[in-house]
Amino acid sequence: MPALILDGKSLAKQTENQLKQRVERLRESTGKTPVLATILVGNDPASETYVKMKGNACQRVGMESLRIVLPKNINTEELLDKIRELNDNPNVHGILLQHPVPRHIDERKAFEAIDLRKDVDGVTCLGFGRMSMGQEAYGSATPAGIISLLKHYEIPLAGKHAVVVGRSAILGKPMAMMLLAEDCTVTICHSKTNNLPDLIRQADILIGAVGKPEFIKTSWIKKGAVVVDAGYHPGGVGDIEKEGLDSIASAFTPVPGGVGPMTINTLIRQTVESGEKVL
Ligand code: NAP
């Protein structure tokens, strides 16, 4: 049987239509339009593209985006002041600080300054802790988008062995906690993990979040595994080798068109949810 393609692009498009209706209903009933504030520090071309894509997605569903671009030489305090100003602005429902910020800025401190109610990208420690404990919180956008994709395609999760390769704060760690909440048995791998190929061979569900082009080899993957590639590199390459994947995996995310569109979609959905709440 050919592998099932976990098509994030088409699911994101479907979900956008529903979000558009929710935004319209909200505007009609309260006069309120959800607003996502995006903060870009500096002019890194990849980050500029990501912020633009997020702004475009806001437009497509009828939301507004407030685009803030700060010079790369600002300091942590100046960035915190801007975040506090957005926290206090009742017309802003979600705040996205584009990662990474220039190295001289304390990015963690900046993330932590975001009001939990506006943390629609799920980057604060409090949001992570609440999500991990099964309390209400916005999930980190990329792993939450992956869970939505797996659920949409009715991929069985309970009791499965999920192997997450990567443990970053925005991806690997929250991914592992979300899979645990779905009753997977979770193994988290990182740069100091021994025998990585052997661990990957045990995965029923494999999540590649390494940040290295085609680092995970097809020959390490168990026949019939569900394979999710969060990586994205120039030339449309992910973190997992593409060659032969469709004959080994039972289902897989394409790169591009798998995880990426779901990340943006989750961010937008969580901003609409925030707009629907009375802040
Ligand atoms: P990151 O912060 O660089 O983290 C990479 C993780 O991979 C780290 O935990 C690191 O381990 C681990 N790692 C590095 N080398 C390894 C090795 N040899 N063996 C096993 N693990 C290793 O990256 P990230 O922000 O999580 O992003 C990961 C990937 O997802 C990137 O390709 C990025 O472009 C992509 N991404 C995509 C989206 C999207 O919307 N599609 C969003 C975010 C990220 P240590 O902790 O030990 O260093």
Side-chain angles (χ1 to χ4, degrees):
M1 242 193 3
L4 175 68
I5 296 176
L6 306 173
D7 186 345
K9 195 173 169 186
S10 88
L11 178 59
K13 205 168 169 194
Q14 273 176 43
T15 319
E16 274 190 8
N17 289 333
Q18 293 156 10
L19 290 176
K20 203 171 171 183
Q21 288 170 15
R22 278 168 67 175
V23 170
E24 260 167 36
R25 273 201 299 275
L26 186 68
R27 194 177 298 119
E28 277 165 20
S29 58
T30 65
K32 188 160 73 166
T33 300
V35 175
L36 173 69
T38 62
I39 309 174
L40 174 67
V41 185
N43 55 359
D44 172 66
S47 295
E48 276 179 350
T49 304
Y50 292 139
V51 167
K52 200 169 163 198
M53 286 164 75
K54 289 163 187 171
N56 291 345
C58 286
Q59 253 184 7
R60 287 197 298 273
V61 301
M63 282 168 45
E64 282 174 26
S65 73
L66 176 62
R67 191 155 185 259
I68 293 151
V69 182
L70 299 170
K72 68 170 178 236
N73 60 353
I74 62 156
N75 59 35
T76 303
E77 258 327 296
E78 288 165 319
L79 177 57
L80 293 181
D81 284 345
K82 179 48 81 180
I83 292 169
R84 289 185 196 116
E85 187 189 309
L86 295 169
N87 284 340
D88 293 340
N89 183 342
N91 296 322
V92 168
H93 306 96
I95 301 172
L96 167 102
L97 172 61
Q98 184 61 44
H99 161 84
V101 295
R103 276 160 176 247
H104 67 276
I105 293 176
D106 185 339
E107 184 177 77
R108 180 46 41 204
K109 206 169 174 185
F111 280 151
E112 293 311 320
I114 298 172
D115 187 318
L116 184 68
R117 293 168 304 174
K118 300 189 181 188
D119 180 22
V120 291
D121 202 25
V123 294
T124 60
C125 284
L126 188 54
F128 174 83
R130 289 183 61 86
M131 178 275 293
S132 302
M133 298 303 275
Q135 307 271 311
E136 193 186 347
Y138 298 115
S140 180
T142 302
I146 291 172
I147 293 286
S148 300
L149 191 59
L150 293 172
K151 286 191 167 177
H152 173 79
Y153 282 96
E154 298 180 346
I155 302 293
L157 296 175
K160 301 293 179 189
H161 184 192
V163 174
V164 181
V165 189
R167 58 171 168 182
S168 71
I170 59 156
L171 219 174
K173 280 193 185 114
M175 184 79 258
M177 297 314 290
M178 288 176 198
L179 289 164
L180 185 62
E182 296 298 331
D183 296 327
C184 288
T185 301
V186 183
T187 299
I188 309 174
C189 303
H190 47 79
S191 64
K192 307 290 185 296
T193 295
N194 291 328
N195 305 323
L196 184 67
D198 289 345
L199 289 167
I200 289 177
R201 273 185 200 107
Q202 295 171 30
D204 302 312
I205 296 167
L206 172 66
I207 313 283
V210 199
K212 293 182 176 169
E214 300 211 330
F215 173 80
I216 297 172
K217 304 301 170 203
T218 323
S219 60
W220 303 350
I221 299 172
K222 181 166 86 175
K223 180 96 182 142
V226 173
V227 177
V228 175
D229 192 343
Y232 185 70
H233 307 279
V237 172
D239 287 352
I240 301 175
E241 192 181 29
K242 267 187 202 176
E243 185 72 34
L245 188 58
D246 56 350
S247 56
I248 288 184
S250 59
F252 70 94
T253 55
V255 179
V259 172
M262 291 307 297
T263 298
I264 296 183
N265 194 256
T266 303
L267 173 73
I268 301 302
R269 177 175 52 76
Q270 297 192 145
T271 309
V272 173
E273 275 171 36
S274 173
E276 288 168 340
K277 288 178 187 157
V278 180
L279 288 180

